[in-house]
Structure formats: C-alpha cells, structure tokens
Amino acid sequence: MDFTPTEEQAAAQELAARIFGDLATHERLAEAGTGTDAELWKALCAAGLLGAVEETGLLGLVLLAEEQGRTTAQVPFTASCVYGLLVVARHGTAEQRERLLPGLRDGTTVVTGAFPSTGQVRAGGDGTLTGTVEWVPWLRDATHVLVPAPAPAPDEGTVLWLVPTAEVTVVPVELTAPWAAGRLVLDGARGERIGGAGAAADVLTAARIAFAGLQAGVCAGSLARAVAYTSVREQFGRPLATRQAVQLRAADAYMDTEAIRVTAYEAAWRHDQGLPAAEHALTAAWWASEAGKRVVHAGQHLHGGMGADLDHPVHRHFLWGRQLDAYLGCGTELLAELGDLIANGDLS
C-alpha cells in the first residue's frame, strides 16, 4: 500500500491550493451567497483542474477536494468531478466519453448526484423517470443530474441515469451549508443510462470517499483558523494558545482531522487500484461524519465569543462540517451498514 501523491497529483493540489486561496476569500464567499462563484469556477476550468482529475484518479480528486474544503469554496467542483467526470470516464461507453467528457473537462457541463435516492425514483421501460428526491446539492447550478434508480428489468438492480436539468423541475431548497441545493422532481423525464448494474454502488463508494476528502479540508481550515486566533487572542496577559485546555482541544481536533484524511486517502488509493473499497469508503465516511462534527465544533468553541458570530469565517466551516456530517449517511447509519457488510462477509 502506497498512497503517497504522485508528482502530477501533488502539482495539481499545489495549483488548486493557490487558486482557492487567492479567490475563495471571505468577502467573495459572502458575496456569492448560495450561488457559484463564476470567476473562481472559470479559473479552475482554465487551469485544467477538472480535466486533471481524469488523469490523477479518485486520490487526486480527494487531494483537490481538501483544498476546496479548506477554503469552503463556493463551486460544485467535488460534486461535478465525482458524479460527472469520473463516472463517465469509468462507466461510460466510448460514444458517451467522446460526447460528454469535453464539457466536463472545461466546466461547461456541471453534474451533481441525487444520492441517496433509494425508493424515491422509478424508471420506466422507455427510460423515463418519475419521483422526487427531497434535496440534491448544487442542483441549481447543474446542467445534469446523475440519478440512481431501479432498472426496468428487476434482475438488474439499481442503475445510473444521467438527466439534463432542463428536463426536470428544480425547487430551491436551503440547507445547513450554502450549496445551491434543490428538490428534484422527475415527471417523465428522459434519462440516459450510464454503466451496468454495479455502477451505482461504485459511484456511491467513490462519492463517500471524495466527500470525506472534502470534510478533511473543511476540518483543516477550521483548525487553522482556531490556531491563528488563539495564538494572538490574549487573556490575562497571555495568548489563549498557551492554555493547556486549549492545546488539548486543538490536539484532539488535529488527530481527528488526520484520521479523516488518512482513511480517505487509503480508500481512494484502493479504489484507483481496482481493489475492494466499499468497507474502506464506509470507514472514511464514518470518520468524516463523527470526527468531522467534533472538529468544527472545536474550531468554533476555540474562537470563544467570536465563534458565535454568524459572519465570522469560521462559521462557514461549522456549517459545511455539519452538512457533510449527514450527507450520504450519518455516523450511525454508516456504522450499521459497515457492520452488515462485515457480518455478511461481502467486502467486494
């Protein structure tokens, strides 16, 4: 096992860190609200970072997602890469790859995923979809949505359908995090099938890993802000950072952040190598859920009264961390699913 980033992955992460750091400032994020920062999205696309994910794999995406999370950058980068570019590259036909990948690489096509949607969407024999998914992240900014739904043939299980958002009804929904979410209403919308019967499970695995990487970045950014604040904020003539209680709280948050990061790296590396990764994805997602909320709570707490200010930059990390805590399954649900997987001996 070796999930040390390659030169290409490290270079892409360094470039992403610079672009996110320069453009995803607190002032610009506040101005963007729940919408996409068009200038930042344009810069990411012009730098070729979306296309780079195709070459650097899921581990490369995790590294880039960290940088997005570190700045809570208001763009659908992680979502479009994991639900769009990697899905088409991994599961699409030759014709689908030739037709869809150029737009996904240059950012003119933006895909989000209606995950999870078990039991909420039905597919007809002619490929039409009906049903409602209560909330889908970044749906208001997407040109397409990837929808898992039962195949027309019962023995095929759940399959993936790529649906243009022009074919569906999108009702704006506000989440804990400002992710431009929407309620997806499908009423006879036509979907394009991508991949076989195992594609939906593979995409869910990849999504859990990618969003765990995003959570690692959110936690790292929250902790960095807390360290910077407690190093200069004085109480009784001494910086807060010199207090043992503050140091211990920050140390616990650091260890939690590293646990999220290393489990996400391992799961992504296994996925890229074609090894069984469902168990490892659940482990990374559990750490992202349980440890993630501890870290963002600690980050806000270490800011003292400033942490209660809704306009303070650290509050965005808190909102993102709590949203990621529940997305694709909260800790208890993930642990139950992992237990079933181990008990059944099915780790493939």
Side-chain angles (χ1 to χ4, degrees):
M1 180 189 304
D2 181 11
F3 40 86
T4 302
T6 64
E7 289 185 13
E8 292 78 9
Q9 291 169 338
Q13 184 180 26
E14 182 180 350
L15 177 59
R18 186 163 66 249
I19 294 174
F20 282 126
D22 288 346
L23 295 181
T25 62
H26 176 58
E27 293 73 23
R28 290 176 59 86
L29 290 169
E31 183 180 349
T34 61
T36 290
D37 184 332
E39 184 179 344
L40 173 56
W41 184 249
K42 183 178 179 180
L44 294 169
C45 297
L49 285 174
L50 281 81
V53 172
E54 188 180 354
E55 302 297 326
T56 58
L58 184 56
L59 179 54
L61 175 56
V62 167
L63 294 170
L64 300 184
E66 272 194 77
E67 301 308 324
Q68 179 183 2
R70 199 184 305 273
T71 56
T72 60
Q74 201 62 17
V75 286
F77 180 81
T78 302
S80 192
C81 285
V82 76
Y83 290 129
L85 190 141
L86 289 181
V87 171
V88 174
R90 187 175 174 93
H91 299 288
T93 64
E95 186 277 331
Q96 287 173 326
R97 291 196 296 272
E98 182 179 357
R99 172 167 49 90
L100 296 171
L101 282 177
L104 289 165
R105 293 179 188 128
D106 64 22
T108 55
T109 300
V110 178
V111 181
T112 187
F115 283 75
S117 65
T118 306
Q120 297 172 292
V121 179
R122 299 177 300 280
D126 58 352
T128 58
L129 302 172
T130 57
T132 301
V133 182
E134 289 304 316
W135 68 273
V136 179
W138 303 106
L139 184 60
R140 281 179 271 164
D141 290 335
T143 60
H144 294 73
V145 56
L146 189 70
V147 183
D155 59 337
E156 288 187 276
T158 301
V159 297
L160 296 173
W161 307 86
L162 187 65
V163 185
T165 51
E167 295 273 329
V168 307
T169 299
V170 177
V171 181
V173 173
E174 297 303 322
L175 304 180
T176 300
W179 285 359
R183 180 181 299 112
L184 175 66
V185 181
L186 299 156
D187 186 14
R190 292 197 170 273
E192 175 182 2
R193 182 168 170 173
I194 291 187
D202 181 72
V203 171
L204 179 57
T205 293
R208 282 172 166 161
I209 297 168
F211 282 96
L214 188 64
Q215 182 75 301
V218 170
C219 292
S222 175
L223 183 57
R225 290 190 181 280
V227 169
Y229 178 80
T230 57
S231 296
V232 297
R233 177 71 167 89
E234 291 190 358
Q235 191 177 63
F236 306 115
R238 294 170 55 194
L240 289 175
T242 63
R243 309 289 176 177
Q244 187 179 47
V246 172
Q247 294 172 359
L248 291 174
R249 190 77 188 274
D252 286 342
Y254 174 78
M255 294 303 294
D256 273 337
T257 301
E258 288 302 294
I260 301 170
R261 177 181 287 118
V262 73
T263 52
Y265 283 10
E266 180 184 10
W269 177 83
R270 291 183 65 89
H271 189 272
D272 286 341
Q273 297 299 312
L275 299 170
E279 175 190 10
H280 301 79
L282 286 166
T283 301
W286 181 85
W287 275 104
S289 175
E290 293 294 309
K293 62 187 173 187
R294 287 197 298 266
V295 174
V296 295
H297 272 272
Q300 198 166 32
H301 188 198
L302 289 172
H303 277 77
M306 293 299 294
D309 183 356
L310 302 186
D311 294 324
H312 195 282
V314 77
H315 190 65
R316 293 183 62 87
H317 293 271
F318 178 79
L319 296 178
W320 277 58
R322 289 314 309 255
Q323 188 70 61
L324 286 164
D325 160 35
Y327 185 48
L328 299 180
C330 67
T332 304
E333 294 172 321
L334 295 165
L335 203 59
E337 187 176 341
L338 178 59
D340 290 340
L341 202 66
I342 295 172
N344 294 332
D346 180 15
L347 303 181
S348 61

